[in-house]
Amino acid sequence: MLVHICCSVDSHFFLEKLQHDYPQEKLTGFFYDPNIHPYSEYQLRLLDVQRSCKKLGIEVLEGEYDFEAWMQAVRGLEKEPEKGARCEVCFDKRFEVSAKKALELGENKITTTLLVSPLKSQEQLKKSGDAFYEKYGVEFIAVDYRADGGTQDQSRVTKEEQLYRQDYCGCIYGLTMQREQQERLMDEMFSPISKQILPASIEERLAMYKKRMLLEDEGIEYKIIKEKFLNYRQFNFKLIKGKKEVIPAYALTYSTLPRKRAQGQIEFEDKNIHYFNREEIKFITLDYFNSLCNSEYKNIKELIFNPPNFDEELKIRASIESNNYALSPIIVVEYLIDAKLTVAIDAKTYEDTKEKLIIL
Ligand code: SF4
């Protein structure tokens, strides 16, 4: 039987149940989910499915990440709610490719781990599955593992196995709607040009989940815990001299301006910190920055494209500010300017939760 897999939270419990109920069947997993966006999230879900299938002794095949074809398939349905018409097309597309894969492998049964997800309509899934049975002769096994406390058992297994628990279905449209309803920043869509790994980003999680696989291979005990913290994202930053001369500059992380703009000039210097006369803004030179982080940046462009890692940047901020909660802008420049300056920073701080790996 070919089992289409959407994520480890659904697949681990579902596959365990199938192994129990269909002991005569050789199960093969098929991770085909081009709906998942962004690609880093796709990689993260695949990684956790591979880990889970390894534990269960089930081979898992990866389908093509044909994201553009998926986008084309759901065109015109972008505003549909979850469980609506877009989801039907999304299921159909995934079933069609899975059914073809089953035919290619000589299998005559397919099923999908989506059946166990409380957020999915079993009726809708069954309708898609049965349509393909008629078309391709590949039988759709519509098991209901949600009933009789199945959902509670699934939660227990998710916790016990420390599976990666994503908090959105997968596609950019569902995510956009969810974040709008939650009035939460859609930080999943941030992709800094610097490639700096931001706190609680998908990239940070991906690195952590890769590390936990290494720990498991080495038999080292660990736990994944959650921590609440104040997160930060910078949308835009500009330093302007006079009316429109843009000066190369870099605003350290956690630099915020309540009204996004401040005009003024540098007033005085003390111990390599140059104080602006508005909004508690501080300037430092690139040379001083280099001395603080033991780096050799030649210019601001180099710093923008290849900054220190996030924690290192926080340490630099902490060495300049006198308290741990400071949100004042700290701006790095190649040279100091004795003229009227406009500082424009569009950034957001927000309460967030991040996962952390602790070795026991
Ligand atoms: S919400 Fe989920 S099921 Fe619906 S279209 Fe998006 S990814 Fe597919």
Side-chain angles (χ1 to χ4, degrees):
M1 188 190 308
L2 189 77
V3 185
H4 164 258
I5 293 178
C6 56
C7 64
S8 63
V9 167
D10 287 344
S11 72
H12 199 88
F13 172 70
F14 190 88
L15 289 168
E16 271 184 337
K17 295 285 277 180
L18 278 183
Q19 281 179 323
H20 178 266
D21 293 348
Y22 293 84
Q24 74 287 1
E25 284 286 344
K26 177 182 173 285
L27 304 175
T28 303
F30 184 49
F31 188 84
Y32 174 67
D33 301 284
N35 51 314
I36 301 172
H37 193 76
Y39 184 61
S40 47
E41 177 71 19
Y42 170 88
Q43 289 174 305
L44 178 53
R45 294 188 196 186
L46 172 61
L47 182 83
D48 218 43
V49 163
Q50 286 166 332
R51 167 186 176 261
S52 140
C53 285
K54 191 173 157 192
K55 282 186 156 205
L56 298 170
I58 293 172
E59 185 192 5
V60 59
L61 308 172
E62 183 187 359
E64 189 190 347
Y65 184 69
D66 50 352
F67 176 66
E68 281 173 24
W70 183 87
M71 292 283 273
Q72 200 60 35
V74 299
R75 215 170 150 180
L77 304 169
E78 295 85 352
K79 300 237 177 309
E80 283 286 318
E82 213 166 310
K83 294 191 186 179
R86 187 186 63 248
C87 300
E88 252 176 65
V89 175
C90 179
F91 296 148
D92 285 350
K93 169 126 182 75
R94 288 189 277 169
F95 278 138
E96 178 159 16
V97 175
S98 303
K100 283 182 182 160
K101 189 73 189 173
L103 282 176
E104 186 192 311
L105 297 174
E107 303 281 0
N108 56 9
K109 292 190 198 74
I110 55 166
T111 188
T112 174
T113 58
L114 287 166
L115 282 164
V116 83
S117 166
L119 296 171
K120 301 285 166 292
S121 153
Q122 285 192 338
E123 274 313 298
Q124 205 175 52
L125 290 165
K126 204 170 162 342
K127 208 174 116 199
S128 292
D130 289 344
F132 283 101
Y133 182 33
E134 277 175 31
K135 199 165 162 192
Y136 295 107
V138 178
E139 189 185 352
F140 179 62
I141 306 295
V143 282
D144 181 4
Y145 291 146
R146 282 192 227 164
D148 303 325
T151 303
Q152 284 85 337
D153 285 346
Q154 185 187 1
S155 290
R156 180 185 42 79
V157 170
T158 300
K159 212 167 166 197
E160 278 170 12
E161 298 294 338
Q162 301 196 68
L163 301 170
Y164 166 55
R165 197 194 288 256
Q166 69 273 0
D167 78 339
Y168 67 100
C169 182
C171 72
I172 188 165
Y173 307 120
L175 175 64
T176 307
M177 268 179 236
Q178 192 173 322
R179 293 290 176 262
E180 272 171 11
Q181 277 161 12
Q182 294 167 326
E183 295 182 8
R184 254 183 71 187
L185 178 71
M186 197 163 73
D187 56 10
E188 291 83 358
M189 287 300 119
F190 270 77
S191 180
I193 46 167
S194 63
K195 301 280 173 256
Q196 190 183 53
I197 295 185
L198 301 174
S201 63
I202 300 169
E203 289 72 22
E204 187 184 72
R205 259 175 261 141
L206 189 55
M208 192 196 81
Y209 278 86
K210 277 184 185 164
K211 189 172 167 195
R212 74 102 157 242
M213 282 177 82
L214 293 177
L215 293 177
E216 285 182 340
D217 287 346
E218 289 169 26
I220 299 171
E221 270 194 70
Y222 68 89
K223 275 268 177 223
I224 294 174
I225 58 152
K226 285 190 174 178
E227 282 180 339
K228 273 198 172 179
F229 75 113
L230 185 72
N231 208 345
Y232 173 83
R233 292 291 184 269
Q234 193 178 103
F235 308 102
N236 206 327
F237 162 63
K238 225 185 237 183
L239 178 65
I240 303 156
K241 181 180 163 193
K243 288 228 179 309
K244 54 182 177 190
E245 188 190 342
V246 177
I247 305 293
Y250 182 82
L252 285 193
T253 190
Y254 285 92
S255 291
T256 54
L257 266 184
R259 280 174 293 280
K260 298 186 185 175
R261 271 176 103 82
Q263 278 187 328
Q265 62 188 90
I266 297 169
E267 261 190 351
F268 67 95
E269 184 256 323
D270 180 41
K271 298 183 189 73
N272 292 306
I273 318 283
H274 302 260
Y275 292 81
F276 201 63
N277 61 353
R278 292 274 187 285
E279 298 286 356
E280 298 80 40
I281 300 169
K282 297 180 179 75
F283 283 78
I284 59 169
T285 62
L286 186 61
D287 284 344
Y288 185 54
F289 180 87
N290 277 331
S291 72
L292 288 176
C293 73
N294 212 8
S295 55
E296 290 181 353
Y297 292 106
K298 289 187 191 61
N299 51 50
I300 293 292
K301 197 172 169 191
E302 242 184 47
L303 175 59
I304 290 171
F305 282 96
N306 188 26
N309 70 40
F310 201 87
D311 287 343
E312 188 66 32
E313 213 173 300
L314 276 182
K315 276 187 210 152
I316 297 167
R317 165 171 276 282
S319 70
I320 295 168
E321 293 285 8
S322 54
N323 76 77
N324 288 334
Y325 316 105
L327 297 171
S328 336
I330 299 177
I331 297 169
V332 189
V333 284
E334 281 168 30
Y335 50 90
L336 293 155
I337 301 139
D338 186 15
K340 257 220 157 80
L341 296 170
T342 303
V343 178
I345 302 177
D346 189 1
K348 188 175 167 72
T349 51
Y350 55 103
E351 197 182 301
D352 203 358
T353 308
K354 65 188 276 177
E355 287 179 311
K356 191 176 165 194
L357 191 67
I358 50 169
I359 296 173
L360 300 175

